[in-house]
Amino acid sequence: MGQGLWRVARNQQLQHQGYSGQGYLTREHGRRISTNNVSNSSHRKQAQGGIDIYHLLKTRKSKEQEGFINLEMLPPELSFTILSYLNATDLCLASCVWQDLANDELLWQGLCKSTWGHCSIYNKNPPLGFSFRKLYMQLDEGSLTFNANPDEGVNYFMSKGILDDSPKEIAKFIFCTRTLNWKKLRIYLDERRDVLDDLVTLHNFRNQFLPNALREFFRHIHAPEERGEYLETLITKFSHRFCACNPDLMRELGLSPDAVYVLCYSLILLSIDLTSPHVKNKMSKREFIRNTRRAAQNISEDFVGHLYDNIYLIGHVAA
């Protein structure tokens, strides 16, 4: 009896609000009709300005011909946008079908600059017969040569006019390229300290926490596997660059390049201690603070504690 009265009251409430079963379906049907009318009118407006894209995408001649839309039937800007998502191999294959579209210079220019962000030739007037597709092949060939022999790779880029014989231009090329083998790159930078100097100055560590800045540095300039003169050189250059990017912070904390050098070495040793499976007794936060403040007495205990927490939570600074 109580349930029956509840259903009656509920139905009366729904009818009063206009949400009865029939009313709801009627209103929903009307909403769909109005939406379809707006959609159809918008498609008709598009058809008045040129190709009816909606009709092009929906109409099929027969079931046997169903498949991808012919890109040559689309507006050029839309076709180029679709092809811009392809890599070099797929773009070459696409040129077998859509030769004029896939061979467009804008597409190959985008491929070149997305893979090799900086080349000296980008800022020069292109020579007669210049082609970004040909340039892509040369850049790819030069990168493979570099990964086999860095000196020969750089000489190849210079012989093709891709790079100028300048440490700053070589450093910019390395900084903006991710296809170079990091082991070969480490050997090359160890031999070319002039290029290394310009490469360090390209980093901007402003307002970065010291461990995070050190990670970014070693992400571009990989640390050697063993301690030695080259690692000391890298940390020294990083310390001076970090201080130059954060002069206000250095004054506030009372840090100098030598103090940052000590902190960087402490962070590397702490990273090895916390992440190595061979170290059973891990360094505690109290031990790290005590050992670090012995080497750099002006550093606050809270700051050193934050350094420890960063390594503990995020991981190695030179992984």
Side-chain angles (χ1 to χ4, degrees), residues 156-280:
Y156 176 87
F157 289 131
M158 293 179 182
S159 65
K160 299 297 182 181
I162 297 173
L163 277 182
D164 292 341
D165 189 4
S166 164
K168 183 174 293 186
E169 286 297 300
I170 298 174
K172 289 181 180 179
F173 175 80
I174 293 173
F175 186 79
C176 299
T177 302
R178 299 293 178 266
T179 59
L180 303 180
N181 182 276
W182 65 270
K183 292 183 178 180
K184 297 295 183 180
L185 181 59
R186 186 174 61 191
I187 295 173
Y188 180 78
L189 293 176
D190 191 11
E191 297 174 352
R192 292 291 305 269
R193 298 298 175 91
D194 54 343
V195 177
L196 178 61
D197 289 338
D198 287 314
L199 185 58
V200 172
T201 59
L202 293 175
H203 290 81
N204 184 11
F205 302 122
R206 183 171 179 80
N207 296 329
Q208 291 192 28
F209 194 38
L210 180 60
N212 297 333
L214 196 58
R215 287 189 186 93
E216 180 183 338
F217 179 74
F218 284 132
R219 194 175 297 120
H220 287 94
I221 306 174
H222 293 271
E225 297 175 354
E226 298 178 356
R227 301 181 194 176
E229 185 270 338
Y230 181 57
L231 178 61
E232 294 177 358
T233 300
L234 290 180
I235 298 178
T236 301
K237 292 182 182 299
F238 168 82
S239 301
H240 284 84
R241 182 59 181 167
F242 184 82
C243 292
C245 293
N246 299 280
D248 296 336
L249 178 63
M250 296 301 101
R251 285 193 296 268
E252 180 182 346
L253 298 177
L255 296 178
S256 64
D258 292 337
V260 175
Y261 178 92
V262 172
L263 290 177
C264 290
Y265 244 116
S266 299
L267 290 172
I268 292 175
L269 295 177
L270 177 63
S271 299
I272 296 173
D273 186 275
L274 294 182
T275 60
S276 175
H278 304 291
V279 180
K280 295 183 179 179

Side-chain angles (χ1 to χ4, degrees), residues 51-105:
I51 299 177
D52 189 345
I53 303 300
Y54 177 80
H55 179 74
L56 182 64
L57 294 175
K58 293 298 183 180
T59 303
R60 305 292 188 182
K61 293 182 179 180
S62 64
K63 291 184 179 181
E64 292 76 15
Q65 294 179 341
E66 289 184 359
F68 292 107
I69 295 296
N70 187 354
L71 295 182
E72 294 179 347
M73 299 177 62
L74 299 177
E77 58 274 13
L78 182 56
S79 301
F80 290 148
T81 302
I82 295 172
L83 292 175
S84 66
Y85 289 97
L86 302 181
N87 56 34
T89 302
D90 294 336
L91 197 56
C92 288
L93 294 175
S95 65
C96 298
V97 181
W98 303 293
Q99 185 173 3
D100 294 336
L101 291 174
N103 288 332
D104 189 88
E105 282 293 282

Side-chain angles (χ1 to χ4, degrees), residues 8-21 23 27:
V8 172
R10 181 59 178 167
N11 290 336
Q12 291 177 351
Q13 181 182 4
L14 291 176
Q15 290 175 3
H16 177 71
Q17 295 177 353
Y19 284 92
S20 63
R27 291 171 56 172

Side-chain angles (χ1 to χ4, degrees), residues 274-288:
L274 294 182
T275 60
S276 175
H278 304 291
V279 180
K280 295 183 179 179
N281 298 322
K282 305 297 184 181
M283 184 183 299
S284 67
K285 186 174 182 179
R286 179 176 300 178
E287 291 173 336
F288 177 74

